[in-house]
Amino acid sequence: MATDKTDRRVRRTRALLLEGLIGLMKEKDIKDISVKELSDLADINRGTFYLHYNDIFDMVEKLEEQLFAEFNSILDRNLKEGSPLHSPQSTLLDIFTFLERHRELAKVMIGPHGDLAFVNRLKALVEERLWHLLEPELPSPESGYGCAFIVSGCIGIIELWLGRSDSRSPEEMAGICARLLQGGYLPQ
């Protein structure tokens, strides 16, 4: 029973820290956020912060790892090497649903005060997966350009979607993105 309470307190503390970090990242770069500032905002003491993380960069790194682990599992389910790429709709729906679930964190991570390394890592991961799927379908000189086009276009759509207050549902966004990809580049 004591473990259950501890786990709940740990989850609550991490949620408060995450909420505080997101709030601060809306206004300033990660490098400009101090542990004291975040702890004060989350209404916890700095010692409690240090029980969970070494510093702000450690916290951001752990959050990114959690996001990438979940994102990788989505890609593993949907973009299996050797499988034909029929329709991107279901993959995109999974991705937009994932982003909706982590909307505020994703928004600040790819926003103006976010982590460019995170965005680049995300692009590289998706591009690598797409390369294996599209390479047999596209003429060789265009393959690399095609992957870059698709990934950059999708990241641009995601940034626009996350930045809007009148946001469309993940289903709507998956449909929009799929139509753009299929009409513009992906083999049908």
Side-chain angles (χ1 to χ4, degrees), residues 67-180:
L67 288 175
F68 273 104
E70 189 175 343
F71 189 69
N72 263 315
S73 70
I74 290 169
L75 294 181
D76 287 342
R77 274 194 320 270
N78 288 282
L79 300 178
K80 294 181 178 98
E81 196 171 332
S83 300
L85 185 63
H86 297 291
S87 167
Q89 182 85 26
S90 64
T91 303
L92 289 166
L93 178 57
D94 282 353
I95 290 170
F96 278 102
T97 301
F98 160 78
L99 290 167
E100 182 65 32
R101 192 168 44 256
H102 301 288
R103 184 178 194 84
E104 292 305 310
L105 180 58
K107 185 176 178 176
V108 296
M109 290 303 288
I110 66 173
H113 300 292
D115 185 1
L116 185 57
F118 173 81
V119 176
N120 289 336
R121 184 176 168 197
L122 182 65
K123 284 182 177 181
L125 174 66
V126 175
E127 195 168 319
E128 178 186 327
R129 295 291 187 95
L130 280 175
W131 175 260
H132 292 295
L133 293 171
L134 295 177
E135 189 175 22
E137 302 285 339
L138 299 173
S140 160
E142 294 181 15
S143 295
Y145 295 112
C147 286
F149 176 80
I150 291 167
V151 172
S152 293
C154 288
I155 295 291
I157 289 170
I158 288 167
E159 286 175 320
L160 181 62
W161 177 63
L162 291 173
R164 288 194 168 174
S165 58
D166 65 335
S167 224
R168 295 174 184 240
S169 71
E171 293 81 9
E172 289 176 287
M173 290 310 301
I176 290 168
C177 206
R179 283 190 301 280
L180 289 170

